[in-house]
Amino acid sequence: MASYILKRLLLMVPTLFGVLLLTFVTVQFVPGGPVEQMVAQLQGRDSGGERAATASAGYRGQLGLDPQRIAEIRRLYGFDKPPAARFWQMLKSFARFDLGTSFYQHKDVWQLIKEKLPVSISLGLWTFFISYGVAVPLGVAKAVRAGSRFDFVTTLLVLVGYAIPGFVLGVALLVVFGGQLQWFPLRGLISSNWHSLGWGAKITDYLWHITLPVIAMVLGSFAVTAMLTKNALLEEIRKQYVLTARAKGLGERKVLWKHVFRNALIPIVTGFPAAFIGAFFTGALLIETLFSLDGLGLLSYESVIRRDYPVVLGTLYFFTLIGLVTKLISDLCYVWVDPRVRFD
């Protein structure tokens, strides 16, 4: 086991290197970078990446700025060095977990991540616990009543919910419950006077704001987990050991919970780490934008649009590292759930 963990940890190094190299090559050489955007700002034009991209390779002479001024801007953003030198410097900084400083927000990337993390954690925790807390019991009930009217109706509802994209449902929820009925707020995670409220009012205000975004995010993972639980149970129920347990006189409840449920949980439990982390960092961009929630998804999107390379590469490094560690934990869960598994 120790040798397997060590091998996996060592394999993370080339994986991280490959991800960072591909992303560096992609983002560093696209038009509309920070130098072009700064030049556009100095000339009073739009600073967006799309407009600045028109002055890509030939911006030195076309824009009529002093070449020395342009050289100062390139030095300010570190573009006076060759790409290989910049990439090597980035790798050394990332090895020390120094993610650099944002070009536009002038803050340390770690500080930006810590500022945005509470929003992503709020959405992720609620999405994860509601998805598994409701979907697993529902999947068990569907497996026990397979082929019944209850199974048919719940499958239809689950699949309809799964077919509706989260952002489309979010728009509908905002229009109906936020706009027409005005039952829930249209934006933000808390009210502007949240800090002056009592503890009970703070909790109520937070739940009031988080309800619609969580509903919009839950449906997709909820459907997958429910159907996975049902199918895993049905597969185990058909196996020979279940018939043997019933032949020995064990009751249906004992067979289900002591034998079938434990084995059926293997694909579900081993997916817990990935689902738990994935609820924080994936699929929240459109929801955060729609409900004006300033989280990691929105930070990553805005940094790509503004060509804020330290934030793009720093958050990518952070997400990739977490993803690799989570994948390792998921694999180790197989041994924890099923002692018959041996990695050697």
Side-chain angles (χ1 to χ4, degrees):
M1 176 68 73
S3 61
Y4 173 79
I5 295 176
L6 180 60
K7 290 177 183 178
R8 290 292 299 272
L9 292 175
L10 292 176
L11 284 174
M12 291 181 185
V13 177
T15 304
L16 278 172
F17 177 82
V19 170
L20 291 175
L21 177 62
L22 290 175
T23 308
F24 181 87
V25 172
T26 301
V27 303
Q28 293 287 330
F29 298 101
V30 296
V35 175
E36 290 90 337
Q37 293 192 34
M38 177 60 72
V39 170
Q41 288 181 5
L42 292 176
Q43 293 216 333
R45 298 184 298 128
D46 187 1
S47 60
E50 293 78 5
R51 290 288 303 277
T54 59
S56 55
Y59 65 86
R60 291 176 179 245
Q62 294 175 4
L63 297 178
L65 291 180
D66 185 3
Q68 184 177 359
R69 185 70 177 276
I70 294 178
E72 292 176 357
I73 297 174
R74 292 176 61 84
R75 192 179 306 111
L76 174 66
Y77 292 115
F79 284 89
D80 57 324
K81 301 177 182 178
R86 284 186 276 125
F87 181 69
W88 176 245
Q89 181 62 40
M90 182 192 71
L91 290 180
K92 292 193 296 184
S93 299
F94 282 6
R96 303 191 303 268
F97 290 96
D98 177 12
L99 302 185
T101 304
S102 170
F103 286 159
Y104 297 99
Q105 302 191 45
H106 306 292
K107 290 182 179 181
D108 186 77
V109 176
W110 277 118
Q111 181 181 351
L112 288 173
I113 291 176
K114 288 187 290 185
E115 289 177 357
K116 314 299 182 182
L117 198 56
V119 174
S120 297
I121 288 178
S122 294
L123 291 174
L125 283 178
W126 284 109
T127 301
F128 176 80
F129 286 117
I130 291 177
S131 297
Y132 275 86
V134 177
V136 172
L138 177 62
V140 173
K142 288 172 63 62
V144 173
R145 300 173 176 84
S148 65
R149 180 177 297 179
F150 170 81
D151 182 33
F152 175 78
V153 172
T154 53
T155 299
L156 181 62
L157 294 176
V158 165
L159 293 180
V160 168
Y162 180 71
I164 301 175
F167 70 93
V168 174
L169 178 62
V171 171
L173 293 174
L174 275 179
V175 171
V176 176
F177 296 101
Q180 296 179 354
L181 300 178
Q182 297 184 358
W183 289 356
F184 295 95
L186 296 174
R187 56 182 299 155
L189 194 61
I190 54 176
S191 299
S192 57
N193 63 336
W194 186 82
H195 295 284
S196 62
L197 301 175
W199 281 108
K202 284 183 177 180
I203 294 175
T204 303
D205 181 78
Y206 166 75
L207 295 176
W208 185 45
H209 281 78
I210 202 69
T211 299
L212 295 185
V214 168
I215 292 175
M217 288 188 63
V218 156
L219 284 187
S221 57
F222 174 85
V224 171
T225 306
M227 298 306 295
L228 176 63
T229 304
K230 173 192 172 182
N231 294 334
L233 280 167
L234 287 177
E235 182 179 356
E236 292 297 324
I237 288 174
R238 299 188 183 103
K239 291 185 176 179
Q240 185 64 39
Y241 75 88
V242 177
L243 296 176
T244 304
R246 288 171 175 167
K248 289 182 178 180
L250 294 180
E252 280 296 319
R253 184 177 296 274
K254 193 170 184 179
V255 170
L256 176 64
W257 295 108
K258 186 176 180 180
H259 298 280
V260 176
F261 187 68
R262 180 179 178 180
N263 292 327
L265 274 182
I266 292 177
I268 301 171
V269 173
T270 52
F272 274 3
F276 186 73
I277 299 298
F280 295 157
F281 304 118
T282 60
L285 169 60
L286 294 174
I287 300 300
E288 289 180 7
T289 305
L290 185 62
F291 290 92
S292 300
L293 302 175
D294 194 10
L296 288 174
L298 191 59
L299 172 67
S300 301
Y301 172 74
E302 290 179 345
S303 62
V304 171
I305 295 299
R306 302 182 67 178
R307 308 295 195 268
D308 197 347
Y309 297 146
V311 179
V312 173
L313 293 166
T315 53
L316 177 71
Y317 174 75
F318 177 63
F319 294 161
T320 305
L321 188 60
I322 289 179
L324 291 173
V325 174
T326 302
K327 181 61 177 175
L328 174 59
I329 296 174
S330 298
D331 291 342
L332 295 178
C333 284
Y334 279 102
V335 178
W336 175 62
V337 175
D338 189 353
R340 297 171 298 178
V341 175
R342 291 290 183 270
F343 288 119
D344 52 354

